[in-house]
Amino acid sequence: MNPQTRRNFLKTTGCLTIGFSLAGMSAFPELLHPVQELPGGLRRHPAVNAWLEILPDGRLRVFTGKIELGQGIRTAVAQMAAEELSMSMDLIQVVIADTDRTPDEGYTAGSGSVVNSAMSVRYAAAYARQKLLELAAEYLDVPITGLWIENGRIGTANDTRGISFDTVLDGRRITDTVRPPVQLKARSDRRVIGKPVARKDIYYMAAAEPVFIHNMRFPGMVHARVVRPPSYGAVLKRMEENLLKKEFPKLESVVRDGSFLGVLSEDEYTVIKAQEYLKKNAEWDQEKPIPEIENEKLPEYLLSLPATDETVENEGSDPENDTDIEWIESSYFKPYIMHGAIGPSCALGLYKEDRLFIWTHSQGVFPLREALSGLLDIPAEHIHVQGVPGSGCYGHNGADDVAADVALLARAFPGRHIRLQWSRTEEHQWEPYGSAMILRNRAILSDRGRITHWKYDLWSDTHSQRPGGSAGKLLPASYLRKPVTDNSFGFSGGGYRNAIPYYQIPNRYVKAHFFRGPLRVSALRALGAYANLFAMECFMDELAVHAAKDPYEFRLMHLNDPRAREVMQKLRNRTSTASHPEDTGIGIAFSRYKNTAAYCAVAARVAVKDGKIQLQKMWSVIDAGETINPDGLKNQTEGGMIQSASWTLREEVTFTPEGISSTDWNSYPIFRFGDVPEVEVTIIDRPDTPPLGAGEAAQGPAAAAVANAVFHACGKRIRRLPLEKYL
């Protein structure tokens, strides 16, 4: 086959696949920085064609296994590729979370999207640039150092037009894999990374254009609703299908499998009314699944449950039995809180010719595929799961469950696209919540006001029951005629995330106690770090008062890390130069997320008047290493502070023995637009250091900053959330 024929063949197929090795090659060594270790995503999927496709027209298609949750990963990934291949952002197309096309990157969680996925794209693109330059030098018979590369073309200094990537590749299929060292662009040459780049999806949201999975429609599609049990563990005893169809003649189908019950119709209003009818008329056997607990007694009840103990840290001496030593003690409590996604969970499904197609806003399309395979006994290779952005959620809400619902319905009603959207009540009642936590601090101060001993005990349920390939973790699985169950505890480590102080304390003892609580729980943004840092940083404020130290100085005297000290010092400068009204209080807090990711310090100003807390302003200083998109980092930090403030001041899941009682925005209040404080974020950019996960850095310190501000405004130390309830 001659080269021209090969090019035509590749143009017909639509793309060129690239994956190659450049071990030992170093074009422009004076301009480029070698990277010796590849990111985790690229180590698991080392072929360049797992991340990139160069299209015949010179555009670039980029793949990421992560889902867009509002964190801006689509934009960050495009920036990485555009930078390393010197391309305009308009020439980059990003494909997200697709089991048929993208690398398996597990879950979009833990503030790891930029660190793992986006950086994998960056290194793959840098590798591709080097190979393209090498091939162009060979094609043009010129030294590689005399070439330029720009927007899908390569040329010499005397040739302003150059030749296309398509010409350079000349139909060749390069299949090697990436191996270090990789040559990244030097800081001085970067034009896209570190610059604010607008997210196109924000424009479409503001313009009310279709963006989310909720907007998807297919020709001939039917709508569906699932009839939920009245409470956990209820069993469907009887439903009159004939009466139902007589009442609603437009129903296409009624699907029942054990206690799993769904209705389908081309008319969405019909299935909504049929769902309401069945809620009133179907008969269920049920026991009260939740113990009768007074809300005020919830901490005591949780402490009474059997617990599994785990020593997290045991460093130094323990003078527990020395009666001459004075321990300073405080206890804190965080209730169950919910994700509260503004758009209720939604999914679409189609079962056709022994293949299942699912469209979902799940944070893990590959684990979901494995779980659906086990649920329906369908080979995983016969299931295609496509990620589509949903209306906001950081953590494990109902996205996987609604996908399981629609998968069951699609198998029972094949050949038609099915759209299933939960109601607000369903979302509030059935999503997995963030666990309630009890937190106890004890410390000893020296005569000079330094912490010499630190003891911390926490009680928590698990912080992740994501399916992870297990069908038994999906909500409808246990209601089937042949139920699928998984009673494993889940991820316990999330409970003690950030439980070890980042401060320099010589003697530290941290212990976790894990119980199984009465409510369904799973991953919520920052996992246990939110409550642990709330307790830790409030206690640091209390210790500063005991030591008669300024809150900033007290923290700084326990911090040796220069980067930690800098975020604190910059925060102090920001707040000290601002004017503060009388009768307000300033609270501060600090953390390094996971003790390995972004550094974040937060300050809050509140006024307490007539028994109400007025949150006026919040400041943050964040060091997330190299900043890819400063606007994106600011947005993440601002949003994290505001979300945390809403959790801290207002949010609490309520329940009775019959079930969840916080079923709407009145019984589960969140911040409205009028409640949002002024926010100010300062970024410390470190372009010569690796990027650090930042999406969950602000939640913990923001909570403590608000609580500490309340104390400094009115003198009342509130140790139980939500603050407004216990003021």
PDB file of all heavy atoms in Angstrom, residues 194-214:
ATOM      1  N   GLY A 194      -1.869  27.421  33.457  1.00  0.00           N
ATOM      2  CA  GLY A 194      -1.669  28.531  34.378  1.00  0.00           C
ATOM      3  C   GLY A 194      -2.461  29.763  34.015  1.00  0.00           C
ATOM      4  O   GLY A 194      -2.426  30.762  34.726  1.00  0.00           O
ATOM      5  N   LYS A 195      -3.220  29.705  32.917  1.00  0.00           N
ATOM      6  CA  LYS A 195      -4.009  30.850  32.468  1.00  0.00           C
ATOM      7  C   LYS A 195      -5.494  30.552  32.686  1.00  0.00           C
ATOM      8  O   LYS A 195      -5.943  29.409  32.581  1.00  0.00           O
ATOM      9  CB  LYS A 195      -3.769  31.120  30.985  1.00  0.00           C
ATOM     10  CG  LYS A 195      -2.309  31.358  30.620  1.00  0.00           C
ATOM     11  CD  LYS A 195      -1.768  32.626  31.264  1.00  0.00           C
ATOM     12  CE  LYS A 195      -0.406  33.012  30.701  1.00  0.00           C
ATOM     13  NZ  LYS A 195       0.630  31.984  30.958  1.00  0.00           N
ATOM     14  N   PRO A 196      -6.280  31.589  32.968  1.00  0.00           N
ATOM     15  CA  PRO A 196      -7.725  31.362  33.104  1.00  0.00           C
ATOM     16  C   PRO A 196      -8.356  31.066  31.752  1.00  0.00           C
ATOM     17  O   PRO A 196      -8.202  31.826  30.802  1.00  0.00           O
ATOM     18  CB  PRO A 196      -8.239  32.691  33.673  1.00  0.00           C
ATOM     19  CG  PRO A 196      -7.209  33.707  33.284  1.00  0.00           C
ATOM     20  CD  PRO A 196      -5.892  32.988  33.234  1.00  0.00           C
ATOM     21  N   VAL A 197      -9.025  29.940  31.659  1.00  0.00           N
ATOM     22  CA  VAL A 197      -9.715  29.542  30.435  1.00  0.00           C
ATOM     23  C   VAL A 197     -11.179  29.318  30.792  1.00  0.00           C
ATOM     24  O   VAL A 197     -11.493  28.546  31.702  1.00  0.00           O
ATOM     25  CB  VAL A 197      -9.111  28.253  29.840  1.00  0.00           C
ATOM     26  CG1 VAL A 197      -9.929  27.782  28.638  1.00  0.00           C
ATOM     27  CG2 VAL A 197      -7.657  28.484  29.435  1.00  0.00           C
ATOM     28  N   ALA A 198     -12.055  29.993  30.085  1.00  0.00           N
ATOM     29  CA  ALA A 198     -13.488  29.901  30.383  1.00  0.00           C
ATOM     30  C   ALA A 198     -14.017  28.514  30.058  1.00  0.00           C
ATOM     31  O   ALA A 198     -13.637  27.912  29.051  1.00  0.00           O
ATOM     32  CB  ALA A 198     -14.254  30.954  29.588  1.00  0.00           C
ATOM     33  N   ARG A 199     -14.887  28.024  30.910  1.00  0.00           N
ATOM     34  CA  ARG A 199     -15.542  26.736  30.671  1.00  0.00           C
ATOM     35  C   ARG A 199     -16.761  26.948  29.785  1.00  0.00           C
ATOM     36  O   ARG A 199     -17.670  27.700  30.129  1.00  0.00           O
ATOM     37  CB  ARG A 199     -15.975  26.118  32.003  1.00  0.00           C
ATOM     38  CG  ARG A 199     -14.851  25.500  32.796  1.00  0.00           C
ATOM     39  CD  ARG A 199     -15.329  25.047  34.152  1.00  0.00           C
ATOM     40  NE  ARG A 199     -16.570  24.282  34.094  1.00  0.00           N
ATOM     41  CZ  ARG A 199     -17.305  23.966  35.156  1.00  0.00           C
ATOM     42  NH1 ARG A 199     -16.904  24.356  36.357  1.00  0.00           N
ATOM     43  NH2 ARG A 199     -18.413  23.273  35.025  1.00  0.00           N
ATOM     44  N   LYS A 200     -16.782  26.277  28.640  1.00  0.00           N
ATOM     45  CA  LYS A 200     -17.896  26.436  27.711  1.00  0.00           C
ATOM     46  C   LYS A 200     -19.206  25.932  28.307  1.00  0.00           C
ATOM     47  O   LYS A 200     -20.276  26.462  28.000  1.00  0.00           O
ATOM     48  CB  LYS A 200     -17.592  25.695  26.406  1.00  0.00           C
ATOM     49  CG  LYS A 200     -16.466  26.331  25.597  1.00  0.00           C
ATOM     50  CD  LYS A 200     -16.247  25.583  24.288  1.00  0.00           C
ATOM     51  CE  LYS A 200     -15.127  26.232  23.479  1.00  0.00           C
ATOM     52  NZ  LYS A 200     -14.879  25.523  22.195  1.00  0.00           N
ATOM     53  N   ASP A 201     -19.127  24.902  29.160  1.00  0.00           N
ATOM     54  CA  ASP A 201     -20.370  24.370  29.702  1.00  0.00           C
ATOM     55  C   ASP A 201     -21.081  25.373  30.604  1.00  0.00           C
ATOM     56  O   ASP A 201     -22.313  25.352  30.712  1.00  0.00           O
ATOM     57  CB  ASP A 201     -20.121  23.057  30.442  1.00  0.00           C
ATOM     58  CG  ASP A 201     -19.095  23.184  31.545  1.00  0.00           C
ATOM     59  OD1 ASP A 201     -18.216  24.051  31.463  1.00  0.00           O
ATOM     60  OD2 ASP A 201     -19.145  22.375  32.494  1.00  0.00           O
ATOM     61  N   ILE A 202     -20.328  26.296  31.222  1.00  0.00           N
ATOM     62  CA  ILE A 202     -20.952  27.325  32.048  1.00  0.00           C
ATOM     63  C   ILE A 202     -21.824  28.229  31.183  1.00  0.00           C
ATOM     64  O   ILE A 202     -22.938  28.606  31.559  1.00  0.00           O
ATOM     65  CB  ILE A 202     -19.888  28.157  32.787  1.00  0.00           C
ATOM     66  CG1 ILE A 202     -19.083  27.275  33.742  1.00  0.00           C
ATOM     67  CG2 ILE A 202     -20.536  29.313  33.544  1.00  0.00           C
ATOM     68  CD1 ILE A 202     -19.855  26.719  34.895  1.00  0.00           C
ATOM     69  N   TYR A 203     -21.309  28.568  29.999  1.00  0.00           N
ATOM     70  CA  TYR A 203     -22.099  29.396  29.084  1.00  0.00           C
ATOM     71  C   TYR A 203     -23.409  28.699  28.732  1.00  0.00           C
ATOM     72  O   TYR A 203     -24.485  29.314  28.764  1.00  0.00           O
ATOM     73  CB  TYR A 203     -21.310  29.696  27.804  1.00  0.00           C
ATOM     74  CG  TYR A 203     -22.169  30.284  26.707  1.00  0.00           C
ATOM     75  CD1 TYR A 203     -22.495  31.645  26.702  1.00  0.00           C
ATOM     76  CD2 TYR A 203     -22.697  29.462  25.710  1.00  0.00           C
ATOM     77  CE1 TYR A 203     -23.318  32.164  25.714  1.00  0.00           C
ATOM     78  CE2 TYR A 203     -23.513  29.983  24.719  1.00  0.00           C
ATOM     79  CZ  TYR A 203     -23.813  31.331  24.729  1.00  0.00           C
ATOM     80  OH  TYR A 203     -24.629  31.857  23.759  1.00  0.00           O
ATOM     81  N   TYR A 204     -23.322  27.420  28.407  1.00  0.00           N
ATOM     82  CA  TYR A 204     -24.529  26.697  28.006  1.00  0.00           C
ATOM     83  C   TYR A 204     -25.520  26.601  29.161  1.00  0.00           C
ATOM     84  O   TYR A 204     -26.738  26.667  28.963  1.00  0.00           O
ATOM     85  CB  TYR A 204     -24.161  25.308  27.492  1.00  0.00           C
ATOM     86  CG  TYR A 204     -23.360  25.333  26.220  1.00  0.00           C
ATOM     87  CD1 TYR A 204     -22.146  24.647  26.118  1.00  0.00           C
ATOM     88  CD2 TYR A 204     -23.792  26.052  25.114  1.00  0.00           C
ATOM     89  CE1 TYR A 204     -21.399  24.679  24.947  1.00  0.00           C
ATOM     90  CE2 TYR A 204     -23.057  26.089  23.944  1.00  0.00           C
ATOM     91  CZ  TYR A 204     -21.859  25.407  23.864  1.00  0.00           C
ATOM     92  OH  TYR A 204     -21.127  25.451  22.713  1.00  0.00           O
ATOM     93  N   MET A 205     -25.014  26.439  30.390  1.00  0.00           N
ATOM     94  CA  MET A 205     -25.905  26.411  31.551  1.00  0.00           C
ATOM     95  C   MET A 205     -26.614  27.753  31.704  1.00  0.00           C
ATOM     96  O   MET A 205     -27.835  27.813  31.920  1.00  0.00           O
ATOM     97  CB  MET A 205     -25.119  26.102  32.816  1.00  0.00           C
ATOM     98  CG  MET A 205     -24.551  24.707  32.895  1.00  0.00           C
ATOM     99  SD  MET A 205     -23.552  24.525  34.410  1.00  0.00           S
ATOM    100  CE  MET A 205     -22.469  23.190  33.931  1.00  0.00           C
ATOM    101  N   ALA A 206     -25.839  28.846  31.608  1.00  0.00           N
ATOM    102  CA  ALA A 206     -26.413  30.178  31.775  1.00  0.00           C
ATOM    103  C   ALA A 206     -27.434  30.483  30.677  1.00  0.00           C
ATOM    104  O   ALA A 206     -28.402  31.213  30.901  1.00  0.00           O
ATOM    105  CB  ALA A 206     -25.306  31.228  31.783  1.00  0.00           C
ATOM    106  N   ALA A 207     -27.206  29.923  29.500  1.00  0.00           N
ATOM    107  CA  ALA A 207     -28.104  30.156  28.370  1.00  0.00           C
ATOM    108  C   ALA A 207     -29.255  29.151  28.331  1.00  0.00           C
ATOM    109  O   ALA A 207     -30.044  29.149  27.386  1.00  0.00           O
ATOM    110  CB  ALA A 207     -27.318  30.083  27.063  1.00  0.00           C
ATOM    111  N   ALA A 208     -29.347  28.304  29.363  1.00  0.00           N
ATOM    112  CA  ALA A 208     -30.407  27.294  29.445  1.00  0.00           C
ATOM    113  C   ALA A 208     -30.383  26.330  28.273  1.00  0.00           C
ATOM    114  O   ALA A 208     -31.418  25.853  27.813  1.00  0.00           O
ATOM    115  CB  ALA A 208     -31.782  27.951  29.576  1.00  0.00           C
ATOM    116  N   GLU A 209     -29.182  26.042  27.783  1.00  0.00           N
ATOM    117  CA  GLU A 209     -29.023  25.052  26.723  1.00  0.00           C
ATOM    118  C   GLU A 209     -28.956  23.646  27.335  1.00  0.00           C
ATOM    119  O   GLU A 209     -28.624  23.491  28.507  1.00  0.00           O
ATOM    120  CB  GLU A 209     -27.745  25.332  25.933  1.00  0.00           C
ATOM    121  CG  GLU A 209     -27.742  26.658  25.177  1.00  0.00           C
ATOM    122  CD  GLU A 209     -28.629  26.637  23.961  1.00  0.00           C
ATOM    123  OE1 GLU A 209     -29.010  25.524  23.522  1.00  0.00           O
ATOM    124  OE2 GLU A 209     -28.966  27.716  23.452  1.00  0.00           O
ATOM    125  N   PRO A 210     -29.263  22.613  26.564  1.00  0.00           N
ATOM    126  CA  PRO A 210     -29.140  21.245  27.093  1.00  0.00           C
ATOM    127  C   PRO A 210     -27.694  20.932  27.468  1.00  0.00           C
ATOM    128  O   PRO A 210     -26.797  21.051  26.649  1.00  0.00           O
ATOM    129  CB  PRO A 210     -29.602  20.378  25.915  1.00  0.00           C
ATOM    130  CG  PRO A 210     -30.441  21.282  25.079  1.00  0.00           C
ATOM    131  CD  PRO A 210     -29.819  22.639  25.208  1.00  0.00           C
ATOM    132  N   VAL A 211     -27.487  20.570  28.712  1.00  0.00           N
ATOM    133  CA  VAL A 211     -26.149  20.256  29.221  1.00  0.00           C
ATOM    134  C   VAL A 211     -26.148  18.914  29.943  1.00  0.00           C
ATOM    135  O   VAL A 211     -25.250  18.098  29.755  1.00  0.00           O
ATOM    136  CB  VAL A 211     -25.657  21.357  30.191  1.00  0.00           C
ATOM    137  CG1 VAL A 211     -24.350  20.942  30.850  1.00  0.00           C
ATOM    138  CG2 VAL A 211     -25.487  22.681  29.464  1.00  0.00           C
ATOM    139  N   PHE A 212     -27.176  18.689  30.751  1.00  0.00           N
ATOM    140  CA  PHE A 212     -27.173  17.567  31.678  1.00  0.00           C
ATOM    141  C   PHE A 212     -27.905  16.350  31.117  1.00  0.00           C
ATOM    142  O   PHE A 212     -28.667  16.441  30.152  1.00  0.00           O
ATOM    143  CB  PHE A 212     -27.817  17.980  33.002  1.00  0.00           C
ATOM    144  CG  PHE A 212     -27.105  19.104  33.691  1.00  0.00           C
ATOM    145  CD1 PHE A 212     -27.794  20.237  34.103  1.00  0.00           C
ATOM    146  CD2 PHE A 212     -25.740  19.033  33.921  1.00  0.00           C
ATOM    147  CE1 PHE A 212     -27.132  21.273  34.743  1.00  0.00           C
ATOM    148  CE2 PHE A 212     -25.079  20.068  34.566  1.00  0.00           C
ATOM    149  CZ  PHE A 212     -25.774  21.189  34.979  1.00  0.00           C
ATOM    150  N   ILE A 213     -27.696  15.244  31.774  1.00  0.00           N
ATOM    151  CA  ILE A 213     -28.380  14.010  31.391  1.00  0.00           C
ATOM    152  C   ILE A 213     -29.896  14.186  31.440  1.00  0.00           C
ATOM    153  O   ILE A 213     -30.633  13.567  30.658  1.00  0.00           O
ATOM    154  CB  ILE A 213     -27.930  12.841  32.290  1.00  0.00           C
ATOM    155  CG1 ILE A 213     -28.448  11.516  31.739  1.00  0.00           C
ATOM    156  CG2 ILE A 213     -28.342  13.069  33.743  1.00  0.00           C
ATOM    157  CD1 ILE A 213     -27.841  10.304  32.392  1.00  0.00           C
ATOM    158  N   HIS A 214     -30.371  15.055  32.302  1.00  0.00           N
ATOM    159  CA  HIS A 214     -31.805  15.305  32.411  1.00  0.00           C
ATOM    160  C   HIS A 214     -32.381  15.848  31.105  1.00  0.00           C
ATOM    161  O   HIS A 214     -33.586  15.731  30.859  1.00  0.00           O
ATOM    162  CB  HIS A 214     -32.080  16.304  33.539  1.00  0.00           C
ATOM    163  CG  HIS A 214     -31.439  15.942  34.837  1.00  0.00           C
ATOM    164  ND1 HIS A 214     -30.082  16.082  35.061  1.00  0.00           N
ATOM    165  CD2 HIS A 214     -31.960  15.442  35.990  1.00  0.00           C
ATOM    166  CE1 HIS A 214     -29.797  15.677  36.289  1.00  0.00           C
ATOM    167  NE2 HIS A 214     -30.915  15.278  36.870  1.00  0.00           N
TER     168      HIS A 214
END
